[in-house]
Amino acid sequence: MTPDEKEAFANEALKLVIKHPDIKLLSITVFKENVVERMRKDSNKLYNYMICLSLVDEMSKYDAVVLVPDPRSIKVKSGNSLHDYLDI
């Protein structure tokens, strides 16, 4: 995204959460140098694991959750998909 597109997105996201305070926006930032090599080699695996760590407690509070993950939740080369991690 260009800087202008990023700013427009942020402004629209702000309007959305002000209008609908039940919506939560979350992000994940990982200092990958502290991640074991096998997880760094498969970014999907790391992404799925971090999603699970960051969301599982919050999601367990509700009967239903709408999760819109980015495309990295696709089955990883080795290990579990995001769905598998959340089920565990």
Side-chain angles (χ1 to χ4, degrees):
M1 278 192 215
T2 68
D4 288 341
E5 290 171 328
K6 288 178 184 178
E7 185 172 352
F9 177 84
N11 288 330
E12 291 302 314
L14 178 60
K15 289 179 195 175
L16 183 66
V17 293
I18 288 171
K19 186 174 180 180
H20 303 280
D22 55 320
I23 293 176
K24 294 184 181 188
L25 303 176
L26 305 167
S27 79
I28 300 169
T29 303
V30 177
F31 187 62
K32 292 181 183 172
E33 287 78 8
N34 290 337
V35 175
V36 295
E37 182 67 25
R38 64 182 168 80
M39 293 287 275
R40 282 188 295 191
K41 287 183 178 181
D42 188 345
S43 61
N44 292 348
K45 191 175 209 174
L46 176 59
Y47 171 80
N48 291 344
Y49 179 71
M50 295 307 297
I51 284 282
C52 182
L53 287 181
S54 64
L55 295 179
V56 73
D57 289 338
E58 184 65 24
M59 289 176 22
S60 68
K61 297 175 187 176
Y62 304 96
D63 292 331
V65 175
V66 176
L67 176 65
V68 183
D70 77 15
R72 288 179 283 185
S73 65
I74 299 169
K75 180 76 173 158
V76 296
K77 294 174 191 167
S78 62
N80 299 318
S81 66
L82 177 59
H83 180 266
D84 296 324
Y85 276 110
L86 295 175
D87 276 346
I88 293 169

